[in-house]
Amino acid sequence: MTILINSVIILSLLLGTFFIVMTAVGLVRFPDAYTRAHAASKSATLGVLFILIGVFIYFWQIEGTYNSRIILGIVFIFITGPIGGHIMARAAYFSGVKPTERTVRDDLKEEYERKKRSL
Amino acid sequence: MIKGILTIALIFFTITVVICLYRVIKGPTLPDRVVALDMIGVNMLSMIAIISLLQNTTAYLEVILILGILSFIGTIAFSKYIERGVIIERKSNR
């Protein structure tokens, strides 16, 4: 049983580390602000979730202390990580940051122009 | 076994923080920098989780929750500043 719990903890920590390193690769290689916000919000949230789940299982099964603070942190990060990415990308669009020139269609642009003319 | 994996994870997190600092310094627009700073906050949170595993203590677990809340508030405040120019608006129609 201990071997099974240890392997679950190790797998969870390795998956979390993998997703966070992939976030760093995305921050370097993606061309504009929107794709970078995409990479940072989604995969960093998933990586931190895996790491906190591993820490929670460690303290629960091996140390024997049940920490509700980690569960609260998991729920809070799971709610607020994508919200932060969305609001940041929205602010970037409305403050005039251009997307990359390889963009093929921009659906928000017509709507934004129409709203601005009607105001 | 698990101690070696934790050390390797800490090394990878340090590399990630350095890459995010590169994006903070070089990033061409302000939203890039804010996204990278948010990413650094999330990274520090998981580093603290792993350090609390390494030192075998549960005294750091409030720090995880508070760092999450602070990085979310910072991102929201910065995005309101970028979008509207003010963070806390005054009341209109007075």
Side-chain angles (χ1 to χ4, degrees), chain A residues 11-66:
Chain A
L11 190 68
S12 171
L13 290 180
L14 284 182
L15 269 177
T17 313
F18 173 74
F19 277 113
I20 286 186
V21 171
M22 281 307 119
T23 307
V25 173
L27 275 185
V28 172
R29 286 186 54 93
F30 278 165
D32 63 343
Y34 306 104
T35 47
R36 278 177 211 138
H38 164 83
S41 65
K42 287 169 186 65
S43 82
T45 307
L46 196 60
V48 170
L49 277 186
F50 273 120
I51 284 174
L52 289 185
I53 284 173
V55 172
F56 173 72
I57 293 175
Y58 180 83
F59 280 126
W60 183 27
Q61 292 288 339
I62 294 181
E63 297 291 312
T65 58
Y66 191 87

Side-chain angles (χ1 to χ4, degrees), chain B residues 42-59:
Chain B
V42 165
N43 238 318
M44 280 168 59
L45 192 149
S46 46
M47 279 170 94
I48 285 171
I50 290 210
I51 285 173
S52 81
L53 267 192
L54 262 179
Q55 298 188 351
N56 214 347
T57 172
T58 61

Side-chain angles (χ1 to χ4, degrees), chain A residues 10 13 23-24 27-28 33 36 40 44 48 51 58-59 63 67 69 73 76-77 80 87-88 90-92 94-95, chain B residues 5-6 9 13 16 19-20 23 31-32 34-35 39 42 45 53 56-57 61-62 65 69 72 76 79 82-83:
Chain A
I10 288 172
L13 290 180
T23 307
L27 275 185
V28 172
R36 278 177 211 138
V48 170
I51 284 174
Y58 180 83
F59 280 126
E63 297 291 312
N67 280 296
R69 288 166 284 180
F76 189 80
I77 292 170
T80 61
I87 291 184
M88 204 62 235
R90 189 170 176 275
F94 289 145
S95 68
Chain B
I5 286 180
L6 292 180
F13 289 155
T16 310
I19 291 172
C20 292
R23 184 49 73 192
D32 283 330
V34 180
V35 163
M39 180 64 208
V42 165
L45 192 149
L53 267 192
N56 214 347
T57 172
L61 298 181
E62 287 94 356
L65 199 50
I69 294 171
F72 177 62
I76 296 299
S79 65
I82 290 172
E83 192 172 342

